[in-house]
Amino acid sequence: MKKIYCILLLLLLSTSVLFAADIHFTASASKTEVSTTEQFEVTFTVNNNGDRFTPPSFTGFLVVSGPNMSTSMEVINGNASSSMAISYVLIAVKEGTYTIGPATIFSGGKQLSTKPLKIKVVKGSPSQQNNAAAAAAAAQSQSTPDSRVTVKRPGTDINKSLFIRADVDKSNVYQGEQITLTYKLYTRVAIVGSEPEKLPDLNGFFSQDIKSPNQNPNWHVETYKGVKFNVADMKKNILFPQHAGNITIDPITMLFVIREAAKASDDDMFGQFFGTYNDVKYRIKSMPTVIHVKPLPPGKPDGFGGAVGKFSISTSLDKKELKANDPLNYSIKISGTGNLKLLKPLSPVFPADFEKYDPKTEDTIAEKESGETGTRIYNYLLIPRHEGNFNIDPVKFSYFNPATGKYVSLPTEGFKIKVNKGTLENNVTAFSGADKQDVKLLNKDIRYIKTSGDITKNGEGFYDSNLYYSLLAFGPLLFLGALIYGKWYEKNNSDIVEVKKRKAGRIAAKHLASAQAQLKANNSKAFYENVFRGLYGYLSDKLNIAAADLNRERIASELKARSLDEGLINELLDTLDLCDMARYAPVSGISEQQMFDKAKNMINDIEDKL
Amino acid sequence: MRRIIYLLLLIISPLLAFSDDATSALFKKGNAEYAKAQYKEAIASYQKLVDGGYRSVAVYFNLGNAYYKNDDIPSALLYYEKAHKLSPGDEDIRINIQLANLKTTDKLEATPEFFITKWWHGFILACSLGTLAVLSVLLILAGALLLILYRFTQSVTVKKVSFYSALALVFLGLVCIFVAGRQADYFDSHHEAIVFSGSVTIKSAPTLKSKDLFVLHDGTKVDILEHNNDWVKIRLSNGNEGWITATDIREI
């Protein structure tokens, strides 16, 4: 640009002498009454070449750009004339009336000066104040030397014909509700080139780019605030607000190169003819957009994991009956529109005895302008280790539907699984019996069956039976009986006289028995001896008289005392006499057998009587 | 005296012999089938005896063995434990229980018993109830006879010996009665069961909705504490307690 000016200046200087005529040096402003923060242009024009231009002091104004020099050349009827314009873009800062002082220039060997300009500044609208601040900032950035790029501050007019809008489909949403954000470029000027300078951070949002199928922006015509614009969607995002409150979408900043006609006076046909233009760079910044995010309403159902949108859920199981140690696939499919990618994995309850692995997530999610739509599938690998009947309980999936403002809980199908006995050992030992293997029992087997043994009916056990108790009691009872018997026995035998009396008959019988034996042996002497002893012994015992004291009289008196009848006593005494005699001499008149019977009868009679 | 001996023989003989020929034949058939490794048939034979109301160490033990060989560990353990209950001191049963337990899934660290309790249980469970009963009857009877001898003998030496040995025998007999009583009491109050479900979740309360506490697998022995409708409160050897549905276990 500067080169062009230099060449033109050289050309002009070389011809200045030729066309030296009356020279005017004028100052003009685009507006004499401006509002604060409004940009306006002050131009100093000289209809000749000039040098040593001294600008006035622009007290009360801010120089936005300038000095911008432009020169023009015109040839009228063979007379060529040139003019030169130096312009400044100013912004009034404060209201009031200001005077821009004279500017001076040397032209044609003379110093020329302009008349002062009066500018009246009135209070501007607030929206323009933003511009003023921005302009001030831009002016400051301009003061830093930048040799490569000249970035022009967009003037009011360019601001109105080239801007970026951050367009959201809704600005009042629930937390987690999806928003479609579109950066739209509105333009009425020719754009030569563009480059993004600062992309928004989109803090506070989970953002997903919507990738447009074609690379070039799709231009269309749109009427915005009554003005027709060429509009292109530059960038589209799906946003999910992460927290409640007002979240600001940062502005996007882009650099545009705009082709502008070079500044020239309107009647500069030369410039128009040759289509002189300048490519000017403008930095365009979109306005920040604020999204009002409402927190989710209270009453979150159990198992709510932050899903917002509209979803459906289904579960599936690849087999219902299998062997232990075989793998099993359980999948949960969630499809719909909403923050699918932000879903937390559901936590279905599996039987405690199943070996389970973390779910594998499969996404088929498309980012469209309407939002994030698609399906997410959680695949759970399960391995039942033991046989049995198991249940996989239904899962409850809850989401918030922002359209209705209500929570929705979707139950899923539960499953019954039958696990059969699997192939033994191979896997099981590795898991469950690992710490049991330290017992080395390789060559051991269970003990062999018992081939003999008792078999009893239920309840026939000896213990606790009546027989058991009676047998237990039998011993003590036996002992008790023996004790009683002993006592009785002792009591009976304590009186010797009585015992003798009792035994007298028996002893006599003994003697008589032996007498009978003698009788059979025809030993008559021994026979009588025995009969005599038997009778005497009997009487001695029975009457309790010592054998030495025993004589006829004693026996007779004792028997009489026991009131035995006279006849019996006499008979007894006769028998005794007879026996006594028979011991020494044979007796007649009575046989031995008769004698024996007599003695026996005698004892029996006495026994009966006493 | 001779009559008493005959009576004793009459009592003891049924404890040593089979009650009838048909039962004996069935038992022998089962043994023969087991020997030929026809375990399923052997199970059927033994089971017939058990179903017929016969309870015997030999039948239970053999049935347990047949189940073990047939890879039905929970059933094997159930009948081993039944046999163990009838004859607590039997080493064969103890060893087979140990071996069968190696094939179960759950490994439970038993809470150590107080050594006196352990000794006590070992003591009261050393002999079977039947043995203890016969022994106690014999001891008491012998003691009584010796006391009678003591009462009627004339010899001082015999008197002394018979008196003290009679006291000793009666004392031993009383100990036998006491131990038998304790053992019967132990088994009365000590109900056990074997888990029969491949995998069963133990709940904290006798309802399906209550919390899951832990998982047991088949073959595990549990103590029964309490019944509540279809639920049984159980305790594991490691001290944990919980509720299980009655259909998942079988009482020993």
Side-chain angles (χ1 to χ4, degrees):
Chain A
M1 204 86 96
K2 276 183 178 170
K3 272 181 191 166
I4 298 169
Y5 288 134
C6 292
I7 294 164
L8 282 170
L9 270 173
L10 276 171
L11 270 170
L12 287 168
L13 283 171
S14 60
T15 53
S16 62
V17 185
L18 282 171
F19 302 103
D22 56 338
I23 300 160
H24 309 286
F25 184 45
T26 55
S28 66
S30 62
K31 283 176 179 173
T32 51
E33 191 176 313
V34 295
S35 56
T36 49
T37 74
E38 194 186 339
Q39 292 183 358
F40 66 100
E41 203 174 14
V42 177
T43 315
F44 303 97
T45 318
V46 61
N47 60 342
N48 203 344
N49 299 313
D51 59 358
R52 282 178 279 169
F53 172 74
T54 316
S57 67
F58 299 108
T59 38
F61 299 99
L62 215 61
V63 180
V64 175
S65 77
N68 305 317
M69 255 201 256
S70 61
T71 52
S72 60
M73 199 180 214
E74 47 193 294
V75 183
I76 301 164
N77 301 331
N79 295 327
S81 67
S82 68
S83 69
M84 190 176 143
I86 299 143
S87 67
Y88 292 85
V89 176
L90 300 180
I91 283 180
V93 179
K94 233 176 153 185
E95 55 263 61
T97 308
Y98 300 91
T99 309
I100 297 172
T104 56
I105 196 165
F106 281 93
S107 183
K110 282 201 282 183
Q111 189 189 12
L112 302 169
S113 60
T114 59
K115 287 172 189 164
L117 276 173
K118 270 197 180 162
I119 305 289
K120 195 183 173 192
V121 180
V122 295
K123 198 173 181 179
S125 61
S127 66
Q128 285 169 317
Q129 264 174 345
N130 274 343
N131 279 349
Q140 275 178 342
S141 72
Q142 251 189 334
S143 62
T144 59
D146 188 347
S147 56
R148 287 185 296 115
V149 189
T150 331
V151 180
K152 269 208 168 182
R153 246 347 279 173
T156 323
D157 46 346
I158 203 79
N159 249 358
K160 275 179 182 161
S161 52
L162 177 68
F163 53 90
I164 300 171
R165 275 182 67 221
D167 190 34
V168 287
D169 61 344
K170 45 206 152 175
S171 59
N172 201 358
V173 293
Y174 284 106
Q175 181 183 337
E177 186 179 349
Q178 58 186 6
I179 308 162
T180 313
L181 166 73
T182 315
Y183 285 105
K184 279 182 169 174
L185 173 68
Y186 288 74
T187 181
R188 295 178 69 190
V189 295
I191 295 169
V192 179
S194 70
E195 57 174 299
E197 198 178 63
K198 188 166 174 282
L199 290 173
D201 289 337
L202 297 171
N203 288 328
F205 293 100
F206 174 76
S207 146
Q208 294 273 290
D209 278 348
I210 299 174
K211 285 169 187 82
S212 58
N214 50 339
Q215 205 65 38
N216 296 320
N218 204 5
W219 288 99
H220 60 275
V221 177
E222 197 179 303
T223 312
Y224 180 70
K225 285 187 181 168
V227 183
K228 272 190 180 172
F229 284 96
N230 285 320
V231 179
D233 296 341
M234 294 191 302
K235 188 170 152 57
K236 275 189 181 178
N237 281 67
I238 297 170
L239 304 178
F240 298 99
Q242 299 290 74
H243 56 85
N246 289 341
I247 308 179
T248 310
I249 298 175
D250 299 331
I252 188 170
T253 312
M254 286 188 83
L255 279 174
F256 288 98
V257 181
I258 308 288
R259 182 147 298 176
E260 283 182 337
K263 276 278 180 244
S265 53
D266 286 343
D267 50 355
D268 186 352
M269 269 184 54
F270 187 75
Q272 282 172 353
F273 182 75
F274 287 105
T276 315
Y277 58 83
N278 296 327
D279 281 346
V280 186
K281 277 193 177 177
Y282 286 103
R283 182 184 280 118
I284 303 288
K285 205 173 172 187
S286 71
M287 294 289 284
T289 310
V290 175
I291 306 286
H292 306 287
V293 184
K294 293 179 274 184
L296 292 175
K300 286 176 190 171
D302 290 343
F304 178 72
V308 178
K310 195 166 188 324
F311 303 99
S312 63
I313 184 167
S314 65
T315 50
S316 61
L317 194 67
D318 62 345
K319 28 194 145 137
K320 300 250 165 85
E321 188 172 345
L322 74 166
K323 282 183 172 180
N325 300 323
D326 282 358
L328 184 69
N329 279 303
Y330 175 77
S331 52
I332 300 175
K333 183 177 170 188
I334 298 170
S335 42
T337 308
N339 51 357
L340 269 174
K341 281 196 177 163
L342 293 176
L343 287 186
K344 286 176 193 144
L346 295 178
S347 44
V349 182
F350 296 117
D353 207 27
F354 279 23
E355 222 167 280
K356 44 212 148 222
Y357 297 91
D358 285 341
K360 264 196 266 174
T361 312
E362 256 175 56
D363 281 343
T364 37
I365 299 172
E367 284 84 29
K368 290 183 197 152
E369 278 177 57
S370 53
E372 210 171 76
T373 307
T375 49
R376 166 167 274 203
I377 301 171
Y378 295 107
N379 280 317
Y380 293 84
L381 176 65
L382 306 171
I383 300 178
R385 290 291 181 200
H386 299 279
E387 74 267 24
N389 290 315
F390 299 94
N391 283 330
I392 293 183
D393 294 333
V395 191
K396 215 165 146 195
F397 173 69
S398 302
Y399 67 89
F400 178 73
N401 190 343
T404 57
K406 275 177 188 153
Y407 291 100
V408 183
S409 282
L410 298 174
T412 64
E413 197 190 342
F415 295 101
K416 280 193 192 309
I417 301 167
K418 193 174 176 220
V419 181
N420 297 316
K421 215 166 187 178
T423 42
L424 272 175
E425 312 308 334
N426 40 19
N427 273 336
V428 179
T429 45
F431 290 97
S432 58
D435 37 7
K436 281 197 176 189
Q437 281 185 337
D438 43 310
V439 186
K440 287 274 179 228
L441 275 161
L442 290 175
N443 292 318
K444 280 200 177 179
D445 195 8
I446 50 170
R447 297 276 172 102
Y448 194 65
I449 51 168
K450 292 176 190 293
T451 46
S452 64
D454 56 305
I455 301 178
T456 44
K457 273 252 182 191
N458 209 348
E460 269 186 1
F462 178 53
Y463 180 79
D464 213 21
S465 64
N466 288 333
L467 183 65
Y468 170 68
Y469 289 119
S470 42
L471 278 176
L472 263 189
F474 183 66
L477 283 177
L478 206 65
F479 177 61
L480 205 68
L483 277 188
I484 292 165
Y485 169 72
K487 202 144 200 184
W488 170 81
Y489 180 84
E490 243 163 40
K491 200 182 150 200
N492 272 352
N493 296 316
S494 56
D495 188 354
I496 294 161
V497 181
E498 279 299 305
V499 171
K500 270 190 178 166
K501 268 189 199 166
R502 244 189 297 130
K503 284 187 175 169
R506 237 185 294 166
I507 291 165
K510 232 185 208 170
H511 284 290
L512 284 178
S514 87
Q516 199 173 19
Q518 300 301 334
L519 182 68
K520 276 191 183 151
N522 276 329
N523 198 344
S524 68
K525 202 178 174 187
F527 165 74
Y528 284 112
E529 179 86 35
N530 273 330
V531 172
F532 179 80
R533 274 211 192 138
L535 277 172
Y536 261 80
Y538 172 72
L539 290 170
S540 160
D541 283 352
K542 204 75 188 173
L543 304 174
N544 197 22
I545 305 164
D549 298 334
L550 206 62
N551 52 40
R552 281 191 83 228
E553 290 72 32
R554 190 82 191 268
I555 291 169
S557 64
E558 283 287 332
L559 284 176
K560 246 179 219 159
R562 283 175 173 77
S563 62
L564 213 68
D565 46 342
E566 203 67 28
L568 196 60
I569 295 169
N570 288 335
E571 209 182 332
L572 177 69
L573 291 175
D574 287 348
T575 315
L576 281 174
D577 290 345
L578 205 62
C579 278
D580 207 14
M581 246 188 331
R583 281 160 71 193
Y584 309 106
V587 286
S588 57
I590 188 162
S591 71
E592 285 170 347
Q593 184 61 49
Q594 277 172 323
M595 187 69 201
F596 177 75
D597 290 340
K598 214 171 180 174
K600 206 176 165 188
N601 290 337
M602 203 63 55
I603 289 169
N604 281 343
D605 285 347
I606 295 169
E607 198 75 343
D608 284 347
K609 296 275 160 60
L610 293 181
Chain B
M1 201 63 170
R2 205 172 289 166
R3 246 185 300 165
I4 296 163
I5 292 166
Y6 284 145
L7 199 67
L8 276 179
L9 279 177
L10 203 71
I11 297 154
I12 293 162
S13 56
L15 299 175
L16 303 172
F18 295 123
S19 36
D20 62 68
D21 288 345
T23 312
S24 169
L26 201 55
F27 183 65
K28 282 195 174 124
K29 185 174 163 252
N31 290 352
E33 282 157 350
Y34 183 92
K36 280 184 264 175
Q38 297 166 336
Y39 301 118
K40 274 185 187 161
E41 289 81 355
I43 290 172
S45 297
Y46 293 134
Q47 197 74 59
K48 238 182 249 172
L49 282 174
V50 172
D51 293 343
Y54 287 95
R55 32 171 257 162
S56 125
V57 176
V59 174
Y60 283 156
F61 180 76
N62 293 2
L63 186 53
N65 266 7
Y67 273 126
Y68 180 94
K69 291 286 187 188
N70 205 27
D71 257 339
D72 187 350
I73 301 303
S75 300
L77 275 167
L78 178 73
Y79 285 102
Y80 282 151
E81 293 285 354
K82 276 179 192 267
H84 174 73
K85 205 167 169 176
L86 287 185
S87 177
D90 196 316
E91 205 202 336
D92 288 347
I93 300 170
R94 205 170 46 75
I95 289 204
N96 281 11
I97 287 176
Q98 269 182 15
L99 283 169
N101 270 329
L102 287 177
K103 293 203 168 187
T104 60
T105 314
D106 294 325
K107 189 193 184 187
L108 292 168
E109 213 64 64
T111 43
E113 244 178 331
F114 185 47
F115 71 103
I116 291 177
T117 321
K118 204 174 164 184
W119 289 350
W120 174 243
H121 284 159
F123 178 61
I124 64 167
L125 300 179
C127 290
S128 75
L129 213 50
T131 314
L132 282 173
V134 171
L135 211 59
S136 58
V137 165
L138 290 179
L139 284 169
I140 295 286
L141 208 58
L145 292 177
L146 277 174
L147 277 178
I148 293 167
L149 177 67
Y150 154 79
R151 172 65 183 77
F152 290 106
T153 187
Q154 301 296 317
S155 152
V156 178
T157 330
V158 174
K159 244 184 176 4
K160 271 189 181 166
V161 170
S162 61
F163 180 73
Y164 287 112
S165 49
L167 279 191
L169 286 181
V170 168
F171 176 74
L172 281 178
L174 289 176
V175 167
C176 276
I177 294 170
F178 177 70
V179 168
R182 293 296 90 211
Q183 195 185 108
D185 206 41
Y186 174 81
F187 283 129
D188 273 349
S189 63
H190 202 78
H191 290 282
E192 290 175 322
I194 300 284
V195 175
F196 263 73
S197 294
S199 168
V200 59
T201 311
I202 308 301
K203 301 278 187 178
S204 63
T207 50
L208 273 176
K209 285 184 178 170
S210 60
K211 271 190 181 161
D212 297 348
L213 292 183
F214 44 89
V215 173
L216 288 185
H217 300 103
D218 49 358
T220 302
K221 189 167 90 169
V222 296
D223 286 349
I224 295 178
L225 301 180
E226 197 182 329
H227 290 267
N228 185 339
N229 296 329
D230 294 338
W231 290 83
V232 179
K233 190 179 186 186
I234 56 156
R235 183 195 285 143
L236 300 186
S237 58
N238 63 11
N240 286 336
E241 290 179 11
W243 291 87
I244 189 171
T245 46
T247 49
D248 287 325
I249 55 168
R250 278 178 69 184
E251 202 167 325
I252 294 165

